[in-house]
Amino acid sequence: SPLNPLFQAMESEISAAFDSGEPEDILSRAFKLTVTREDICTLQPLGWLNDRIMNFYMGLLVERSKKEGYPAVYAFNTFFYSKLSSTSHKGVKKWTKGVDIFEHDVILVPIHLRIHWTLLVIDLREKTIKYFDSLGQKGDHICKTVLKYLEEESREKRNIELTVSEWTLHSMGTEEIPQQNNGSDCGVFVCKFADFISRDKPIIFTPEHMPYFRRKMVWEIIHQQLL
């Protein structure tokens, strides 16, 4: 309840993150990323989340997945897909240096389409590639591009041929996942899709949760821990 002292302490901390100090103040550091007050302010109502916030949050999800009882999660950087789609496997080969992505259960690929965030999820247990767009656009070509990447990565890194016919590609429909009701919440939707998926939980939130999720994310990023 809002009368809970812990809740009040969190609220005042979140407000302070938005309102006091300079834009360039550093509020959090982890995953080779530095988050400033200016970055945190993109979490204010109707703000557009930037790459730093997206990548930091993905880092928190990966960190949590190392705990007992969670699927093993790998997350690509937000710049990965645009680089892959403009070059090919060759262009992003070094991105997984020293990592076997196939040792994970779930791979998250946050995607920035000019002015919109979406999420692609590879489930290596189920052999599925699913595309999540809170504006309901289809991403079948994106799924295909990533499957081709997986084929080449598997061949190159493990010398194993992927059997493409075993894989299912699917763009989630508007009746399958919640949809945003404004022009600015796509980044929060992507973070929360990723949060629920990385816990193997059904996606049950609604657009009404967005203001709360934004404030919660401020606290989580500052404290580098997911609530």
Side-chain angles (χ1 to χ4, degrees):
S1 104
L3 300 172
N4 176 327
L6 184 68
F7 181 85
Q8 282 176 324
M10 286 173 71
E11 275 299 317
S12 57
E13 199 176 354
I14 293 161
S15 299
F18 287 148
D19 302 327
S20 54
E22 299 302 317
E24 62 278 7
D25 292 344
I26 290 167
L27 300 190
S28 199
R29 246 201 203 104
F31 322 118
K32 298 184 181 151
L33 291 168
T34 304
V35 173
T36 65
R37 190 178 309 280
E38 190 173 8
D39 298 323
I40 284 286
C41 281
T42 66
L43 283 161
Q44 284 177 307
L46 303 182
W48 287 78
L49 271 52
N50 66 14
D51 290 283
R52 272 202 205 126
I53 294 292
M54 300 296 286
N55 286 322
F56 202 97
Y57 195 78
M58 295 296 148
L60 291 174
L61 296 177
V62 168
E63 213 38 55
R64 178 179 67 189
S65 82
K66 295 171 185 169
K67 292 185 189 156
E68 194 63 45
Y70 288 94
V73 175
Y74 183 82
F76 277 108
N77 182 290
T78 52
F79 302 107
F80 168 78
Y81 181 76
S82 52
K83 180 76 172 161
L84 170 67
S85 59
S86 64
T87 55
S88 65
H89 181 267
K90 270 200 308 290
V92 291
K93 199 161 81 169
K94 293 198 177 76
W95 291 49
T96 50
K97 201 167 164 243
V99 177
D100 181 356
I101 59 172
F102 297 96
E103 284 176 355
H104 298 79
D105 298 317
V106 174
I107 301 171
L108 303 170
V109 188
I111 295 174
H112 196 219
L113 303 168
R114 291 191 303 281
I115 53 164
H116 183 50
W117 289 108
T118 64
L119 179 70
L120 181 135
V121 178
I122 302 160
D123 191 322
L124 290 155
R125 303 163 297 184
E126 309 273 335
K127 296 191 177 166
T128 60
I129 298 178
K130 290 182 179 169
Y131 183 71
F132 294 76
D133 184 342
S134 54
L135 285 179
Q137 293 156 336
K138 296 272 173 250
D140 301 346
H141 63 291
I142 296 177
C143 294
K144 286 187 187 123
T145 303
V146 171
L147 181 57
K148 189 170 185 322
Y149 165 81
L150 284 181
E151 268 189 275
E152 290 170 355
E153 182 76 358
S154 180
R155 194 175 296 143
E156 188 111 340
K157 289 276 167 78
R158 314 184 297 167
N159 217 351
I160 296 174
E161 286 296 328
L162 221 60
T163 313
V164 173
S165 59
E166 293 175 352
W167 283 75
T168 307
L169 279 47
H170 177 62
S171 291
M172 302 298 276
T174 50
E175 68 299 329
E176 293 177 278
I177 52 170
Q179 300 288 296
Q180 66 191 90
N181 55 9
N182 61 32
S184 52
D185 277 338
C186 53
V188 188
F189 270 84
V190 164
C191 289
K192 297 318 285 188
F193 287 149
D195 168 28
F196 280 66
I197 290 160
S198 63
R199 290 182 285 146
D200 279 335
K201 293 283 183 250
I203 293 168
I204 49 168
F205 60 84
T206 69
E208 284 66 54
H209 288 99
M210 292 299 132
Y212 163 68
F213 283 158
R214 283 174 175 271
R215 294 185 79 77
K216 185 167 145 196
M217 284 172 71
V218 172
W219 193 94
E220 290 172 328
I221 288 170
I222 291 173
H223 288 270
Q224 298 166 22
Q225 86 182 68
L226 295 167
L227 289 165

